[in-house]
Amino acid sequence: MMNKRQALGRGLDSLIAFPDPEPAGSSAISEIDLDLIDPNPDQPRTNFDPEALEELAISIRELGVIQPLSLRSTDNGRYQIIAGERRWRAARIAGLTSLPAYVRTASDSEVTEMALIENIQREDLNAIEVALAFRKLIDTYSLTQDRLSERLGKKRATIANHLRLLKLPAEIQLGLRDHKLEMGHARALLAVADPKQQLKLFNLIVREGLSVRRVEEMVRQLNAAGPVPEETPAPPVKEKGAGKYDFFARDLAGYFPTGVKFSRSDSGKGSITLRFSSDDELEQLVALFEKLK
C-alpha cells in the first residue's frame, strides 16, 4: 500500500487530502457536465505546472475525482469554480466528461474569499501568490493583519513577511514565483535598501547558487561596508606566497554573523576587525566567543 501511494505521487494527495468544508446552503453532491464549468477569474493561483497536472490526470484516470469540486450557479445554466480548478484542469486532460461537485449558494465576495482561503490553507500557492492573496483579502475586506491571522490560522509574522515580498523588484518576485530562489533568500534581500543592489544580489544567487546563509552574510557586509560587486571577485594574486592567506580572508565571513575585515601587509603584519551595527549583533559575537571558550 505504501509503495502504491508513493507511486501516485502528489496527485493522490491533491485528490483526497484537505477536504473542502460544506457550509450551510450547499446541495448534495451532483455530477456536473465538465463543459458547463467555468474557472474563477479571481483564482489566486496563477501558475499551473503542466507536468504536475499530467501526474494528477494519471491519478484521475485510475481513481476518478475522489474529492468533489465546489461550484456555484451562474447565468445560462453554467457553473463557476469556487474550489478545485486544478482538479478540473486535470480532469479535462484525463478525458472526463463530468465531475462530482457541491453546488453552493455564494455571493461574488464570498466566492473570492473562499477561493483565496482554500488555496492558502492547502499550501498549493507559491510565496508570491500567497502574498498577493493576503493583500487582496486585506484590501477587499478591510482586514487588519491581526484579523487576517485569526481567520486563516496563520501567525501574524508569517502574513507580514509575505506582504513584505511585494516590496521587492518585479524581477525578484518572478524569480521567487519560479523557484529561482527561496523565501529565505528573499527575506535577506529585503534588508537591502537599494533595489539595484537587491537585483545584483539576486543575479548572484541565480548564477552561483548561493545559500541563504551566504546571502545573509553578504547583506550584512553590504550594509556595513559598501556595494555588492557585479560578480564574485577572484582571489587576488600576490607575490612571495602572500596569497596563501586569501582563503582565510574569504572564510572568515562564514564564521561570524557580522561584517569581518582582514588585512595583511607584505611584512606579515595585519589585523582582523569584527564589525557590528547593533547591540543584537554584538550579543551574537559575545555568545560565539563564549562557545569558543
Side-chain angles (χ1 to χ4, degrees):
M1 175 64 72
M2 179 62 70
N3 291 337
K4 175 80 168 179
R5 181 179 178 83
Q6 291 175 343
L8 290 172
R10 293 185 62 191
L12 182 57
D13 291 335
S14 299
L15 287 170
I16 64 176
F18 310 109
D20 298 326
E22 184 180 356
S26 297
S27 69
I29 298 176
S30 303
E31 196 72 17
I32 305 297
D33 189 333
L34 190 143
D35 290 335
L36 296 177
I37 300 173
D38 299 313
N40 178 3
D42 291 324
Q43 160 70 262
R45 186 173 187 172
T46 58
N47 186 27
F48 292 88
D49 182 5
E51 184 176 346
L53 281 176
E54 184 60 43
E55 290 178 356
L56 181 54
I58 292 172
S59 295
I60 288 176
R61 289 191 190 102
E62 181 175 347
L63 300 170
V65 177
I66 298 175
Q67 177 60 43
L69 279 68
S70 293
L71 310 176
R72 71 161 178 168
S73 297
T74 59
D75 296 335
N76 303 320
R78 300 189 65 81
Y79 301 87
Q80 185 181 81
I81 298 172
I82 298 174
E85 181 171 340
R86 185 166 177 265
R87 278 165 278 167
W88 172 72
R89 288 172 178 261
R92 296 176 65 185
I93 296 172
L96 271 63
T97 58
S98 63
L99 288 171
Y102 292 111
V103 180
R104 301 178 175 181
T105 301
S107 66
D108 289 345
S109 61
E110 289 170 336
V111 168
T112 301
E113 183 174 11
M114 283 190 286
L116 290 172
I117 293 176
E118 189 266 349
N119 275 279
I120 291 170
Q121 289 179 339
R122 286 175 180 270
E123 298 185 352
D124 282 344
L125 305 179
N126 62 57
I128 290 298
E129 288 173 331
V130 171
L132 290 171
F134 287 160
R135 173 52 58 198
K136 187 175 180 94
L137 279 173
I138 288 172
D139 292 345
T140 303
Y141 301 104
S142 301
L143 300 175
T144 63
Q145 291 185 21
D146 287 331
R147 179 58 181 145
L148 185 60
S149 171
E150 294 172 1
R151 293 182 68 167
L152 299 183
K154 296 284 186 182
K155 293 181 179 179
R156 186 185 181 282
T158 298
I159 293 173
N161 286 334
H162 277 83
L163 291 174
R164 291 175 65 218
L165 297 176
L166 301 179
K167 298 179 180 179
L168 291 168
E171 185 176 348
I172 299 178
Q173 292 188 39
L174 290 174
L176 189 57
R177 185 201 68 181
D178 297 336
H179 306 290
K180 293 181 180 180
L181 72 166
E182 301 174 7
M183 179 75 166
H185 291 115
R187 290 180 62 181
L189 294 179
L190 284 166
V192 179
D194 185 357
K196 292 182 180 179
Q197 297 299 329
Q198 289 177 335
L199 286 169
K200 286 182 180 180
L201 273 172
F202 166 67
N203 290 329
L204 280 173
I205 292 168
V206 174
R207 182 167 63 245
E208 301 187 13
L210 301 178
S211 68
V212 173
R213 178 178 173 83
R214 178 58 180 144
V215 174
E216 290 172 343
E217 293 164 356
M218 294 177 72
V219 169
R220 281 193 289 265
Q221 293 173 13
L222 169 66
N223 290 335
V228 177
E230 294 292 342
E231 57 185 43
T232 304
V237 178
K238 300 180 180 179
E239 296 179 357
K240 299 181 181 180
K244 67 180 180 180
Y245 294 105
D246 290 342
F247 78 95
F248 179 63
R250 289 196 305 268
D251 290 347
L252 272 176
Y255 299 132
F256 297 98
T258 58
V260 180
K261 182 179 179 181
F262 172 82
S263 63
R264 177 184 180 277
S265 68
D266 291 339
S267 64
K269 296 180 179 180
S271 64
I272 298 172
T273 304
L274 300 178
R275 300 175 177 177
F276 54 90
S277 58
S278 67
D279 286 343
D280 288 340
E281 289 191 352
L282 177 58
E283 289 295 332
Q284 292 180 49
L285 287 174
V286 171
L288 179 59
F289 281 110
E290 288 294 329
K291 290 182 180 179
L292 291 177
K293 289 182 180 179

PDB file of all heavy atoms in Angstrom, residues 118-134:
ATOM      1  N   GLU A 118      -9.148  28.863   0.665  1.00  0.00           N
ATOM      2  CA  GLU A 118      -8.988  27.451   0.330  1.00  0.00           C
ATOM      3  C   GLU A 118      -7.599  27.175  -0.219  1.00  0.00           C
ATOM      4  O   GLU A 118      -6.937  26.205   0.163  1.00  0.00           O
ATOM      5  CB  GLU A 118     -10.064  27.050  -0.691  1.00  0.00           C
ATOM      6  CG  GLU A 118     -10.145  25.548  -0.968  1.00  0.00           C
ATOM      7  CD  GLU A 118      -9.342  25.114  -2.165  1.00  0.00           C
ATOM      8  OE1 GLU A 118      -8.871  25.991  -2.921  1.00  0.00           O
ATOM      9  OE2 GLU A 118      -9.165  23.906  -2.351  1.00  0.00           O
ATOM     10  N   ASN A 119      -7.104  28.035  -1.101  1.00  0.00           N
ATOM     11  CA  ASN A 119      -5.776  27.840  -1.677  1.00  0.00           C
ATOM     12  C   ASN A 119      -4.679  28.045  -0.642  1.00  0.00           C
ATOM     13  O   ASN A 119      -3.694  27.301  -0.620  1.00  0.00           O
ATOM     14  CB  ASN A 119      -5.563  28.800  -2.851  1.00  0.00           C
ATOM     15  CG  ASN A 119      -6.117  28.249  -4.149  1.00  0.00           C
ATOM     16  OD1 ASN A 119      -5.489  27.442  -4.821  1.00  0.00           O
ATOM     17  ND2 ASN A 119      -7.327  28.668  -4.493  1.00  0.00           N
ATOM     18  N   ILE A 120      -4.844  29.060   0.206  1.00  0.00           N
ATOM     19  CA  ILE A 120      -3.828  29.319   1.228  1.00  0.00           C
ATOM     20  C   ILE A 120      -3.748  28.144   2.202  1.00  0.00           C
ATOM     21  O   ILE A 120      -2.668  27.689   2.570  1.00  0.00           O
ATOM     22  CB  ILE A 120      -4.145  30.623   1.971  1.00  0.00           C
ATOM     23  CG1 ILE A 120      -3.949  31.821   1.032  1.00  0.00           C
ATOM     24  CG2 ILE A 120      -3.259  30.779   3.203  1.00  0.00           C
ATOM     25  CD1 ILE A 120      -4.468  33.125   1.597  1.00  0.00           C
ATOM     26  N   GLN A 121      -4.899  27.624   2.626  1.00  0.00           N
ATOM     27  CA  GLN A 121      -4.901  26.532   3.592  1.00  0.00           C
ATOM     28  C   GLN A 121      -4.335  25.253   2.991  1.00  0.00           C
ATOM     29  O   GLN A 121      -3.742  24.439   3.700  1.00  0.00           O
ATOM     30  CB  GLN A 121      -6.328  26.298   4.101  1.00  0.00           C
ATOM     31  CG  GLN A 121      -6.811  27.419   5.021  1.00  0.00           C
ATOM     32  CD  GLN A 121      -8.230  27.210   5.497  1.00  0.00           C
ATOM     33  OE1 GLN A 121      -8.996  26.475   4.892  1.00  0.00           O
ATOM     34  NE2 GLN A 121      -8.587  27.868   6.582  1.00  0.00           N
ATOM     35  N   ARG A 122      -4.487  25.074   1.696  1.00  0.00           N
ATOM     36  CA  ARG A 122      -3.903  23.891   1.044  1.00  0.00           C
ATOM     37  C   ARG A 122      -2.402  24.011   0.873  1.00  0.00           C
ATOM     38  O   ARG A 122      -1.725  23.038   0.621  1.00  0.00           O
ATOM     39  CB  ARG A 122      -4.539  23.690  -0.341  1.00  0.00           C
ATOM     40  CG  ARG A 122      -5.949  23.146  -0.328  1.00  0.00           C
ATOM     41  CD  ARG A 122      -6.507  23.118  -1.747  1.00  0.00           C
ATOM     42  NE  ARG A 122      -7.856  22.609  -1.762  1.00  0.00           N
ATOM     43  CZ  ARG A 122      -8.183  21.329  -1.909  1.00  0.00           C
ATOM     44  NH1 ARG A 122      -7.234  20.437  -2.053  1.00  0.00           N
ATOM     45  NH2 ARG A 122      -9.446  20.944  -1.906  1.00  0.00           N
ATOM     46  N   GLU A 123      -1.868  25.213   0.968  1.00  0.00           N
ATOM     47  CA  GLU A 123      -0.447  25.481   0.762  1.00  0.00           C
ATOM     48  C   GLU A 123      -0.024  25.079  -0.650  1.00  0.00           C
ATOM     49  O   GLU A 123       1.088  24.605  -0.880  1.00  0.00           O
ATOM     50  CB  GLU A 123       0.400  24.771   1.816  1.00  0.00           C
ATOM     51  CG  GLU A 123       0.106  25.246   3.232  1.00  0.00           C
ATOM     52  CD  GLU A 123       1.023  24.642   4.267  1.00  0.00           C
ATOM     53  OE1 GLU A 123       1.807  23.738   3.928  1.00  0.00           O
ATOM     54  OE2 GLU A 123       0.943  25.071   5.421  1.00  0.00           O
ATOM     55  N   ASP A 124      -0.916  25.271  -1.620  1.00  0.00           N
ATOM     56  CA  ASP A 124      -0.610  24.985  -3.012  1.00  0.00           C
ATOM     57  C   ASP A 124       0.017  26.178  -3.716  1.00  0.00           C
ATOM     58  O   ASP A 124       0.468  26.051  -4.855  1.00  0.00           O
ATOM     59  CB  ASP A 124      -1.894  24.599  -3.778  1.00  0.00           C
ATOM     60  CG  ASP A 124      -2.308  23.156  -3.497  1.00  0.00           C
ATOM     61  OD1 ASP A 124      -1.465  22.410  -2.974  1.00  0.00           O
ATOM     62  OD2 ASP A 124      -3.447  22.794  -3.794  1.00  0.00           O
ATOM     63  N   LEU A 125       0.010  27.338  -3.091  1.00  0.00           N
ATOM     64  CA  LEU A 125       0.467  28.557  -3.746  1.00  0.00           C
ATOM     65  C   LEU A 125       1.945  28.805  -3.471  1.00  0.00           C
ATOM     66  O   LEU A 125       2.458  28.452  -2.419  1.00  0.00           O
ATOM     67  CB  LEU A 125      -0.342  29.760  -3.246  1.00  0.00           C
ATOM     68  CG  LEU A 125      -1.862  29.672  -3.370  1.00  0.00           C
ATOM     69  CD1 LEU A 125      -2.499  30.934  -2.792  1.00  0.00           C
ATOM     70  CD2 LEU A 125      -2.283  29.483  -4.806  1.00  0.00           C
ATOM     71  N   ASN A 126       2.628  29.449  -4.440  1.00  0.00           N
ATOM     72  CA  ASN A 126       3.996  29.869  -4.161  1.00  0.00           C
ATOM     73  C   ASN A 126       3.959  31.132  -3.303  1.00  0.00           C
ATOM     74  O   ASN A 126       2.900  31.710  -3.062  1.00  0.00           O
ATOM     75  CB  ASN A 126       4.794  30.079  -5.459  1.00  0.00           C
ATOM     76  CG  ASN A 126       4.216  31.182  -6.337  1.00  0.00           C
ATOM     77  OD1 ASN A 126       4.071  32.320  -5.910  1.00  0.00           O
ATOM     78  ND2 ASN A 126       3.885  30.841  -7.578  1.00  0.00           N
ATOM     79  N   ALA A 127       5.135  31.557  -2.829  1.00  0.00           N
ATOM     80  CA  ALA A 127       5.197  32.642  -1.847  1.00  0.00           C
ATOM     81  C   ALA A 127       4.586  33.941  -2.366  1.00  0.00           C
ATOM     82  O   ALA A 127       3.924  34.673  -1.620  1.00  0.00           O
ATOM     83  CB  ALA A 127       6.646  32.876  -1.422  1.00  0.00           C
ATOM     84  N   ILE A 128       4.802  34.245  -3.639  1.00  0.00           N
ATOM     85  CA  ILE A 128       4.260  35.483  -4.209  1.00  0.00           C
ATOM     86  C   ILE A 128       2.741  35.387  -4.346  1.00  0.00           C
ATOM     87  O   ILE A 128       2.017  36.348  -4.068  1.00  0.00           O
ATOM     88  CB  ILE A 128       4.917  35.799  -5.556  1.00  0.00           C
ATOM     89  CG1 ILE A 128       6.378  36.200  -5.344  1.00  0.00           C
ATOM     90  CG2 ILE A 128       4.170  36.900  -6.287  1.00  0.00           C
ATOM     91  CD1 ILE A 128       6.569  37.449  -4.497  1.00  0.00           C
ATOM     92  N   GLU A 129       2.231  34.247  -4.767  1.00  0.00           N
ATOM     93  CA  GLU A 129       0.778  34.073  -4.861  1.00  0.00           C
ATOM     94  C   GLU A 129       0.133  34.193  -3.479  1.00  0.00           C
ATOM     95  O   GLU A 129      -0.946  34.775  -3.343  1.00  0.00           O
ATOM     96  CB  GLU A 129       0.457  32.715  -5.491  1.00  0.00           C
ATOM     97  CG  GLU A 129       0.761  32.652  -6.984  1.00  0.00           C
ATOM     98  CD  GLU A 129       0.596  31.258  -7.561  1.00  0.00           C
ATOM     99  OE1 GLU A 129       0.789  30.278  -6.813  1.00  0.00           O
ATOM    100  OE2 GLU A 129       0.303  31.137  -8.761  1.00  0.00           O
ATOM    101  N   VAL A 130       0.793  33.645  -2.457  1.00  0.00           N
ATOM    102  CA  VAL A 130       0.288  33.784  -1.097  1.00  0.00           C
ATOM    103  C   VAL A 130       0.271  35.249  -0.686  1.00  0.00           C
ATOM    104  O   VAL A 130      -0.705  35.745  -0.119  1.00  0.00           O
ATOM    105  CB  VAL A 130       1.140  32.962  -0.112  1.00  0.00           C
ATOM    106  CG1 VAL A 130       0.758  33.290   1.334  1.00  0.00           C
ATOM    107  CG2 VAL A 130       0.952  31.473  -0.359  1.00  0.00           C
ATOM    108  N   ALA A 131       1.363  35.960  -0.985  1.00  0.00           N
ATOM    109  CA  ALA A 131       1.444  37.376  -0.634  1.00  0.00           C
ATOM    110  C   ALA A 131       0.331  38.167  -1.310  1.00  0.00           C
ATOM    111  O   ALA A 131      -0.321  39.018  -0.681  1.00  0.00           O
ATOM    112  CB  ALA A 131       2.808  37.934  -1.032  1.00  0.00           C
ATOM    113  N   LEU A 132       0.104  37.911  -2.595  1.00  0.00           N
ATOM    114  CA  LEU A 132      -0.955  38.613  -3.322  1.00  0.00           C
ATOM    115  C   LEU A 132      -2.331  38.253  -2.775  1.00  0.00           C
ATOM    116  O   LEU A 132      -3.228  39.100  -2.720  1.00  0.00           O
ATOM    117  CB  LEU A 132      -0.874  38.273  -4.810  1.00  0.00           C
ATOM    118  CG  LEU A 132       0.336  38.847  -5.554  1.00  0.00           C
ATOM    119  CD1 LEU A 132       0.430  38.254  -6.962  1.00  0.00           C
ATOM    120  CD2 LEU A 132       0.259  40.363  -5.629  1.00  0.00           C
ATOM    121  N   ALA A 133      -2.492  36.988  -2.356  1.00  0.00           N
ATOM    122  CA  ALA A 133      -3.766  36.568  -1.765  1.00  0.00           C
ATOM    123  C   ALA A 133      -4.009  37.285  -0.444  1.00  0.00           C
ATOM    124  O   ALA A 133      -5.114  37.761  -0.167  1.00  0.00           O
ATOM    125  CB  ALA A 133      -3.772  35.053  -1.558  1.00  0.00           C
ATOM    126  N   PHE A 134      -2.974  37.371   0.388  1.00  0.00           N
ATOM    127  CA  PHE A 134      -3.103  38.120   1.646  1.00  0.00           C
ATOM    128  C   PHE A 134      -3.473  39.572   1.379  1.00  0.00           C
ATOM    129  O   PHE A 134      -4.356  40.139   2.024  1.00  0.00           O
ATOM    130  CB  PHE A 134      -1.784  38.076   2.422  1.00  0.00           C
ATOM    131  CG  PHE A 134      -1.470  36.748   3.061  1.00  0.00           C
ATOM    132  CD1 PHE A 134      -0.168  36.431   3.420  1.00  0.00           C
ATOM    133  CD2 PHE A 134      -2.458  35.824   3.332  1.00  0.00           C
ATOM    134  CE1 PHE A 134       0.135  35.217   4.020  1.00  0.00           C
ATOM    135  CE2 PHE A 134      -2.172  34.607   3.926  1.00  0.00           C
ATOM    136  CZ  PHE A 134      -0.862  34.306   4.273  1.00  0.00           C
TER     137      PHE A 134
END
